[in-house]
Amino acid sequence: MKECRVCGDVKPVTEFSKRARSKDGLQADCKACCTAYLKEYSKRNRDKINERNRKRYAKNAEKERQRSAQWRKDNPERRKEITAKYRNANREKCNKAVQKWSKANRDKCNARDAKRRAVKLNATPPWLTQKHWKEIKKIYGLRSVCSLATQVDYHVDHIVPLAGTNVCGLHVPWNLQVITAKENKIKGNKY
């Protein structure tokens, strides 16, 4: 057991980080107090830390790129969480960046759209009747009516995605729904 220098609580030694220079080989502050201090320090010295990181990156650019790539590979869920949080906080900036990228990369956008159309064609079963096609057209018509009536952009969404990771749906009337564009973008390619 050891007493924390900051909070004064007596805690097990597992709650203290190692420090070779101290007599007992442990930090004087507990891990919780160290974490709180570092968070506060980061808030107060954001510019200083950013400048130090820029210099370190410039000096070791290739090594830093590899380190970042490895972190992204090892932490896919955390990366998605961070990206989503950033996009929600900077929606307009991200939309402008996507538009700029799309204009500069028309070939890539066209290839992506062509792939989606091909997937959709393969997901349309040959046994659909004229009645089914009329239902599909009605659903797309409903999307237009909803968009005009409410002045909110609506999309026709596949309930079970055509190119899902675990399951792939079909382009059939009972797999279509009309939802707002915002809801559709949030849903993404999930079931």
Side-chain angles (χ1 to χ4, degrees):
M1 299 296 278
K2 180 175 171 142
E3 183 178 345
C4 174
R5 178 184 64 160
V6 177
C7 65
D9 292 346
V10 177
K11 298 181 177 183
V13 291
T14 57
E15 293 296 315
F16 294 84
S17 297
K18 293 180 181 179
R19 183 172 188 252
R21 288 184 283 175
S22 14
K23 289 181 183 179
D24 62 358
L26 299 171
Q27 290 275 5
D29 306 345
C30 68
K31 290 178 182 178
C33 291
C34 285
T35 301
Y37 170 77
L38 289 173
K39 280 185 181 181
E40 184 60 36
Y41 178 85
S42 295
K43 284 181 186 176
R44 284 184 314 212
N45 298 289
R46 178 57 37 209
D47 294 335
K48 183 178 175 182
I49 292 168
N50 286 344
E51 184 59 33
R52 184 180 65 215
N53 288 341
R54 273 189 218 97
K55 285 180 182 177
R56 187 185 75 223
Y57 188 88
K59 194 185 284 188
N60 305 302
E62 185 57 35
K63 184 179 176 182
E64 288 298 320
R65 274 194 292 274
Q66 289 174 353
R67 185 185 62 77
S68 293
Q70 187 62 44
W71 184 89
R72 288 191 303 271
K73 184 180 175 184
D74 294 343
N75 300 284
E77 292 302 317
R78 181 72 178 122
R79 181 177 178 221
K80 283 181 187 176
E81 183 182 312
I82 291 168
T83 303
K85 186 177 178 182
Y86 178 82
R87 283 187 181 151
N88 287 333
N90 302 286
R91 194 169 295 280
E92 283 188 35
K93 184 178 178 181
C94 290
N95 287 344
K96 285 179 183 175
V98 167
Q99 288 172 352
K100 184 179 176 182
W101 182 89
S102 295
K103 284 180 183 177
N105 297 282
R106 285 306 315 154
D107 55 333
K108 291 179 182 174
C109 291
N110 290 338
R112 180 196 63 214
D113 294 344
K115 181 181 177 184
R116 176 158 170 73
R117 283 192 302 275
V119 167
K120 196 171 189 177
L121 287 173
N122 288 337
T124 305
W127 44 260
L128 281 183
T129 64
Q130 286 297 341
K131 183 180 175 187
H132 293 139
W133 282 109
K134 284 181 183 178
E135 287 179 46
I136 290 173
K137 286 178 184 175
K138 281 183 186 177
I139 292 169
Y140 279 89
L142 176 63
R143 179 204 63 86
S144 299
V145 169
C146 290
S147 293
L148 287 172
T150 62
Q151 298 298 310
V152 174
D153 195 20
Y154 277 80
H155 287 179
V156 175
D157 172 59
H158 290 89
I159 299 166
V160 178
L162 299 183
T165 50
N166 297 329
V167 64
C168 295
L170 295 174
H171 186 63
V172 292
W174 50 89
N175 191 34
L176 298 176
Q177 64 181 348
V178 177
I179 59 175
T180 64
K182 184 178 179 181
E183 289 173 325
N184 193 25
K185 288 175 184 173
I186 289 169
K187 179 185 176 229
N189 203 26
K190 297 182 191 116
Y191 172 54

